[in-house]
Amino acid sequence: MTRTRTSQHSRRSLRAISFGTLAAVVLTSAVSVGVAATSAQAAGSTLQAAAAESGRYFGTAIAANKLSDSQYTTIANREFNMVTAENEMKLDATEPNQNQFNFTNGDRIVSWARSNGKQVRGHTLAWHSQQPGWMQNMSGTALRNAMLNHVTQVATHYRGQIHSWDVVNEAFADGSSGARRDSNLQRTGNDWIEAAFRAARAADPNAKLCYNDYNTDNWSHAKTQAVYNMVRDFKSRGVPIDCVGFQAHFNSGNPVPSNYHTTLGNFAALGVDVQITELDIAGSGTSQAEQYRGIMQACLAVARCTGVSVWGVRDSDSWRAGDTPLLFDGNGNKKLAYNYTLDALNAGGNGGNPGAGDCTVTVTRAEEWNDRFNVTFAVSGTSSWRVSIGLQGGQSLQNSWNAAISGTSGTLTATPNGNGNSFGITLYKNGSTGLPSATCSTT
Ligand code: 9MR
């Protein structure tokens, strides 16, 4: 027991050292002086430093009109290394009249972020909501062209300064339909989303391009499945998409789902990063704090969950202040939810999950037939592993190779059988097409 703890501790120290080295490299490419300095001095004592231990960012939404509030900027500067403009880069803000662009407030946020060594998420290039009046009244080819022009102009203005763009926001309907949301943009043709992504890639080839939505957290919800199917289709046809943003606005009617890590893992397995982009959780005390911890653990359990952003600094800054959904109270004090979040991040890459060790497993969907499909697994970090595989719904095991597998439905366990660190299984779908979840432990 003591030996295990010692070795985990030394691994943690190594991670901290290697982050310092990485930060030094980043410094020479002139991205983030402040991030490097802050993280090296105070690893683990702020949200950004604790997230950086596992190579992740921790961000917040920022409102330009609060940049003169010193309590706000002090907390934001200390705790976060990623910034999202809460409203200032939206369509109504950036193109109030057609072809007349206004970047004043967006630029203020980018300038504050960059001068404090932070990176920026762009939000958002195409959305049915917060459209300027002139756009709301458009349709057809004229609207499609106006939308593409907007994407091109805004992404070009911020080229080279954006870590990730929410290229398209909230394009799917709520409820059980799994359909696209009806909107003037949707009525220009189903390919409007991929057209927006292609225009964004052409304008800023180095920004990661995300699809961003809410109510996509629960793996079994129709909206989650619909977005998953779109991303899978985009990846298979070469539409340029790099990431999926999960807004993560939770309350009692929309609680943190117990299968959150499955959702994040399944999207990541399509070959995209996943980011938690607008996190806030209505509530207070232990219940709220535990939900924040659960979100951190879900992200930490998925290698391609690259960062978390909360949707505001203090409760009083929130779009739904009455729900007290954030990590600092209205006086700027750290809440219990802050402590649980920080502790979960500091618990490291396994998020404190019992049984999870310092190895990772990448899950990839392979050959597919009507009734079954192949899934391949690649383990890294150890050659002594055990992978727990959570099948979906009625799925059952037909075949396997290069690992010893126990179980045929529900949860399978895979261990090495002398054939290295990559193995595969064939699953009968029995009505469930989703990828299984997988967790790696060292043995
Ligand atoms: O927090 C934003 C609030 O200030 C605006 O009034 C509102 C207008 O739609 O948008 C809020 O941010 C939203 C984000 O842009 C997209 N996802 C939902 C967020 C909360 O409504």
Side-chain angles (χ1 to χ4, degrees):
M1 204 57 199
T2 311
R3 249 186 67 219
T4 312
R5 281 167 151 256
T6 309
S7 83
Q8 278 179 348
H9 176 74
S10 55
R11 271 196 295 266
R12 178 81 40 72
S13 308
L14 278 176
R15 266 199 298 252
I17 290 164
S18 65
F19 175 73
T21 314
L22 177 68
V25 174
V26 170
L27 254 178
T28 60
S29 62
V31 177
S32 52
V33 179
V35 172
T38 310
S39 302
Q41 283 157 14
S45 65
T46 63
L47 297 169
Q48 58 165 313
E53 286 177 43
S54 66
R56 292 175 171 83
Y57 66 77
F58 206 100
T60 182
I62 288 285
N65 63 9
K66 291 185 177 148
L67 289 174
S68 52
D69 174 340
S70 65
Q71 182 186 70
Y72 179 85
T73 52
T74 299
I75 299 171
N77 198 14
R78 187 185 69 218
E79 298 290 340
F80 304 101
N81 58 1
M82 182 69 74
V83 161
T84 309
E86 186 172 359
N87 289 296
E88 294 77 353
M89 294 187 190
K90 291 174 179 174
L91 292 93
D92 56 353
T94 49
E95 196 177 355
N97 300 301
Q98 189 169 13
N99 250 322
Q100 287 181 357
F101 290 86
N102 182 344
F103 296 113
T104 308
N105 286 325
D107 287 356
R108 284 177 66 200
I109 290 179
V110 172
S111 159
W112 182 84
R114 288 174 70 83
S115 64
N116 288 292
K118 303 181 190 313
Q119 294 186 278
V120 180
R121 294 193 80 265
H123 176 80
T124 175
L125 294 171
W127 192 20
H128 69 278
S129 180
Q130 280 183 277
Q131 291 182 0
W134 62 265
M135 187 181 268
Q136 293 172 26
N137 297 325
M138 288 180 96
S139 63
T141 307
L143 174 61
R144 172 67 68 90
N145 290 337
M147 180 275 286
L148 293 175
N149 181 54
H150 181 87
V151 170
T152 300
Q153 299 299 328
V154 177
T156 299
H157 177 80
Y158 288 112
R159 175 164 44 210
Q161 306 190 75
I162 302 293
H163 174 281
S164 303
W165 263 115
D166 291 333
V167 177
V168 170
N169 196 38
E170 301 176 1
F172 280 80
D174 293 313
S176 59
S177 70
R180 293 281 184 86
R181 175 194 295 277
D182 179 47
S183 72
N184 58 351
L185 291 168
Q186 180 62 30
R187 278 177 250 127
T188 69
N190 209 47
D191 62 346
W192 73 276
I193 299 180
E194 59 196 85
F197 274 84
R198 291 200 166 96
R201 179 69 98 225
D204 187 354
N206 292 323
K208 285 184 183 286
L209 304 183
C210 303
Y211 175 77
N212 190 52
D213 214 329
Y214 65 90
N215 282 355
T216 47
D217 312 289
N218 191 321
W219 177 244
S220 64
H221 282 179
K223 189 169 170 181
T224 310
Q225 293 294 314
V227 174
Y228 175 86
N229 287 332
M230 177 187 76
V231 175
R232 190 167 136 204
D233 171 54
F234 279 11
K235 292 300 285 184
S236 75
R237 290 191 294 111
V239 176
I241 183 168
D242 307 304
C243 38
V244 175
F246 295 81
Q247 293 184 8
H249 295 294
F250 294 110
N251 56 30
S252 55
N254 176 36
V256 178
S258 60
N259 62 16
Y260 205 31
H261 75 279
T262 301
T263 305
L264 297 178
N266 284 346
F267 274 88
L270 291 175
V272 288
D273 289 346
V274 294
Q275 305 173 353
I276 294 170
T277 53
E278 305 180 13
L279 176 61
D280 53 17
I281 307 175
S284 62
T286 309
S287 151
Q288 181 184 51
E290 286 174 343
Q291 292 178 73
Y292 266 101
R293 178 171 61 196
I295 297 284
M296 297 310 126
Q297 291 175 341
C299 180
L300 288 164
V302 175
R304 289 195 78 157
C305 181
T306 57
V308 175
S309 297
V310 289
W311 205 239
V313 178
R314 302 160 301 197
D315 283 337
S316 48
D317 302 315
S318 170
W319 65 294
R320 45 179 189 150
D323 288 344
T324 61
L326 293 172
L327 298 175
F328 294 86
D329 70 19
N331 295 318
N333 300 311
K334 294 171 182 172
K335 295 166 58 178
L336 191 63
Y338 173 96
N339 295 339
Y340 275 47
T341 300
L342 187 71
D343 289 350
L345 292 169
N346 277 325
N350 64 19
N353 285 334
D358 272 2
C359 56
T360 55
V361 58
T362 307
V363 187
T364 308
R365 192 178 192 101
E367 297 87 346
E368 179 135 12
W369 301 269
N370 279 346
D371 61 333
R372 63 197 196 284
F373 64 108
N374 286 346
V375 185
T376 59
F377 300 81
V379 175
S380 58
T382 180
S383 55
S384 305
W385 42 265
R386 181 175 54 241
V387 173
S388 227
I389 303 168
L391 303 189
Q392 308 276 334
Q395 291 173 353
S396 63
L397 185 71
Q398 186 221 15
N399 190 20
S400 67
W401 56 96
N402 293 343
I405 309 280
S406 68
T408 53
S409 61
T411 303
L412 314 181
T413 302
T415 48
N417 68 352
N419 285 302
N421 276 8
S422 297
F423 65 98
I425 57 178
T426 306
L427 294 178
Y428 284 120
K429 295 177 189 170
N430 295 323
S432 302
T433 56
L435 268 186
S437 62
T439 317
C440 185
S441 316
T442 50
T443 56

